[in-house]
Amino acid sequence: MASFLSPQLKRLLGYLRPYALRFGLGVILVAFVAMAEGAVALMIKLAVDFVLNPAVSGARLPIGTLPWNGRVLYLNDYFPARVQYVWSVFALSLIILFFAKSLAEYFGTTSIQYSGLAAVTDLRNQVYARIIRQPIGFFQHNPTGRLISTTINDVERARFALSEWLADLFQKSFTLIVFLAVLLGINWKMALGCAVLLPLSRGRSTNSAARFAGRRRTARRAWAT
């Protein structure tokens, strides 16, 4: 991955090294948020297939099968024996899931943004120290106002890249991976079929819309003449 990064970006990410522990913790929490999003999708499947389906009898909610030994995991196994009613297990699972997801999203995003802002603070101090140590002739050829404006704008771009953009990048990337895994796990044939057919149907609808727009412009020109 480092080969795809530009030297400027790698140098900018180097300012995160003193805050690697907090940054790594934030990435782990953001990954947990993505897994919680996938768990919510699985809970919707459980609600449709078991909880809201009166034709299904039984009080156990299967959440998946282990691929290496074929063992079925049930949601009921993670609750005490006195809490085994389907609605109670499902409702408590949703509450716990959303509560844990909210905490992980808050602390994960905050940790990543804190690391980015701390790195930008170090960068800003280094830039200011470098400017102050320049000779007098440097300030004669470069007005102070232009130096301050350029420094503030450049550091502000770095702040956005190392805080908001970086946190959003990790969260969206992990969410994409988890949802792809959930789709393939539920029905991989349908997922692959949608991946192939939806772009084709979208291309056809785009061509149809372009032809319709062309005919409409032609009709307007004919009406104007």
Side-chain angles (χ1 to χ4, degrees):
M1 182 178 179
S3 60
F4 295 99
L5 300 178
S6 62
Q8 294 80 8
L9 184 57
K10 288 191 289 186
R11 184 178 179 183
L12 188 62
L13 293 177
Y15 287 92
L16 288 171
R17 291 176 183 173
Y19 314 98
L21 182 60
R22 182 185 289 269
F23 182 78
L25 178 62
V27 171
I28 293 174
L29 291 175
V30 167
F32 176 79
V33 173
M35 290 188 290
E37 293 284 353
V40 171
L42 293 177
M43 294 295 289
I44 295 175
K45 181 179 182 299
L46 287 179
V48 174
D49 293 344
F50 295 94
V51 180
L52 300 177
N53 190 358
V56 176
S57 59
R60 296 177 68 80
L61 299 175
I63 57 177
T65 304
L66 298 179
W68 53 86
N69 56 7
R71 178 190 172 188
V72 180
L73 299 178
Y74 294 94
L75 191 60
N76 309 64
D77 297 336
Y78 300 95
F79 286 87
R82 63 177 181 272
V83 183
Q84 291 297 320
Y85 182 56
V86 174
W87 280 95
S88 300
V89 171
F90 184 79
L92 289 176
S93 300
L94 277 183
I95 293 174
I96 295 172
L97 184 61
F98 277 103
F99 183 73
K101 173 181 170 295
S102 302
L103 288 179
E105 185 173 6
Y106 173 76
F107 286 108
T109 306
T110 303
S111 298
I112 294 177
Q113 291 184 353
Y114 175 87
S115 303
L117 292 175
V120 170
T121 301
D122 296 340
L123 174 62
R124 182 184 292 112
N125 293 335
Q126 184 177 348
V127 171
Y128 288 163
R130 185 69 176 270
I131 292 176
I132 291 174
R133 291 184 176 89
Q134 295 300 316
I136 300 298
F138 175 81
F139 295 99
Q140 292 177 353
H141 295 86
N142 298 280
T144 305
R146 186 173 65 183
L147 287 174
I148 294 176
S149 177
T150 303
T151 303
I152 291 175
N153 291 332
D154 291 345
V155 173
E156 181 65 21
R157 294 191 186 97
R159 183 199 65 79
F160 181 79
L162 289 179
S163 56
E164 285 87 356
W165 181 80
L166 204 58
D168 193 64
L169 174 65
F170 278 104
Q171 185 171 358
K172 295 299 187 297
S173 300
F174 288 141
T175 304
L176 175 63
I177 294 173
V178 170
F179 273 117
L180 287 178
V182 170
L183 286 175
L184 294 175
I186 293 176
N187 194 330
W188 65 271
K189 295 181 180 178
M190 183 177 294
L192 293 179
C194 292
V196 174
L197 296 178
L198 285 180
L200 295 177
S201 61
R202 183 178 180 182
R204 290 182 178 179
S205 61
T206 303
N207 294 332
S208 301
R211 288 195 298 268
F212 176 76
R215 292 174 182 174
R216 188 175 180 182
R217 287 194 297 266
T218 304
R220 283 182 178 179
R221 291 171 184 172
W223 177 262
T225 56

